[in-house]
Amino acid sequence: MTGTSRTITVALADDQQLVRAGFAMVLDSQDDIEVAWQAVDGVDAVRCATQQPVDIILMDVQMPNLDGISATRQIVDAGVLGPGGEPTRVVVLTTFDNDEYVMNSITAGASGFLLKDADPEDLIDAVRTVGEASAVISPKATARLLR
């Protein structure tokens, strides 16, 4: 449980239904995390974020219509506030361990970057960490950037 007794609301933005379903199942299994909505692309994510704000959005990088980095920038620039009154935070998720994705995500205002092959426990920990106003970056990406 986080430092507050409040539930962390999470949204999922990914064009692959099976990926969304898997993440939703993992996150909804936790008492302190609730998946509020799911988006099929970046345009849908921006619309949902402004209509039903959440604490954290897990955002895929590569999606049709509007990629995750551009959607992240739009959500951050719009100043969307989550249910707790804090800005909605975005954790970018991708299959591709790519320095450009990491840097562009952080530049766009993302609070974190994780690879989709992360263990379920790492995903849950990342949501809780970012929910407590911290940032999280994949250990693989961090090591490479520090080199």
Side-chain angles (χ1 to χ4, degrees):
M1 188 67 83
T2 62
T4 66
S5 59
R6 194 174 66 73
T7 298
I8 301 168
T9 57
V10 178
L12 306 172
D14 196 300
D15 59 321
Q16 296 178 22
Q17 183 176 0
L18 191 56
V19 170
R20 290 192 317 269
F23 286 155
M25 189 171 61
V26 167
L27 295 172
D28 277 335
S29 73
Q30 303 301 300
D31 291 338
D32 61 332
I33 300 172
E34 174 192 349
V35 176
W37 52 261
Q38 298 181 28
V40 299
D41 61 24
V43 173
D44 194 24
V46 171
R47 181 184 55 75
C48 289
T50 57
Q51 291 179 356
Q52 187 181 355
V54 294
D55 296 307
I56 300 169
I57 300 171
L58 300 179
M59 181 85 71
D60 184 25
V61 170
Q62 293 188 333
M63 293 185 289
N65 302 319
L66 184 66
D67 66 85
I69 293 170
S70 298
T72 296
R73 183 172 287 110
Q74 288 184 23
I75 291 165
V76 170
D77 287 352
V80 175
L81 299 179
E86 294 289 322
T88 294
R89 293 178 182 86
V90 179
V91 175
V92 173
L93 296 166
T94 184
T95 305
F96 308 101
D97 194 6
N98 176 312
D99 291 345
E100 187 176 340
Y101 286 162
V102 176
M103 294 308 297
N104 289 343
S105 298
I106 301 306
T107 301
S111 297
F113 183 92
L114 282 177
L115 296 176
K116 286 184 180 179
D117 66 357
D119 291 332
E121 296 80 18
D122 292 337
L123 178 65
I124 293 165
D125 288 345
V127 166
R128 289 182 178 138
T129 298
V130 173
E132 293 170 355
S134 298
V136 62
I137 299 178
S138 157
K140 288 181 193 176
T142 303
R144 210 176 47 261
L145 288 173
L146 292 175
R147 283 196 300 269

